Amino acid sequence: MMKLDNARVLTFKHPNMGEVVAIINGGESIDDARYLVSLGRQPNEDWETQTLRAVIEYVAEDNKRLRKQVKRLIHEGCC
């Protein structure tokens, strides 16, 4: 298993894959991603895969919410 020292979770819309979650170990670019997961559902997926995608989607949404909260707190603290 690969250890991630400075992991970041990014979400973005890909033209062919739809909503994608990328895990990056440092860096700022999608090109630095260690893992990419498309959140698009496929009709032939088994239950475990559907569950994994749902968990990843939840974590990605929570990550977005936390980033917004951090930005808001930083903004309130500096003014």
Side-chain angles (χ1 to χ4, degrees), residues 72-79:
R72 182 181 55 82
L73 290 171
I74 289 171
H75 180 69
E76 287 176 2
C78 71
C79 299

Side-chain angles (χ1 to χ4, degrees), residues 56-73:
I56 292 170
E57 190 170 6
Y58 172 79
V59 170
E61 287 300 317
D62 198 39
N63 186 53
K64 286 180 188 177
R65 181 188 60 80
L66 290 172
R67 284 181 187 263
K68 287 179 184 177
Q69 187 174 5
V70 166
K71 286 180 183 178
R72 182 181 55 82
L73 290 171

Side-chain angles (χ1 to χ4, degrees), residues 14-77:
H14 188 275
N16 298 328
M17 297 171 57
E19 185 78 17
V20 175
V21 174
I23 299 177
I24 297 173
N25 191 24
E28 297 290 326
S29 172
I30 296 302
D31 296 331
D32 299 330
R34 297 288 185 191
Y35 303 99
L36 288 173
V37 177
S38 171
L39 297 179
R41 307 235 190 269
Q42 301 297 320
N44 59 349
E45 288 180 338
D46 60 9
W47 183 82
E48 289 86 5
T49 304
Q50 291 175 5
T51 302
L52 177 62
R53 286 187 193 277
V55 168
I56 292 170
E57 190 170 6
Y58 172 79
V59 170
E61 287 300 317
D62 198 39
N63 186 53
K64 286 180 188 177
R65 181 188 60 80
L66 290 172
R67 284 181 187 263
K68 287 179 184 177
Q69 187 174 5
V70 166
K71 286 180 183 178
R72 182 181 55 82
L73 290 171
I74 289 171
H75 180 69
E76 287 176 2

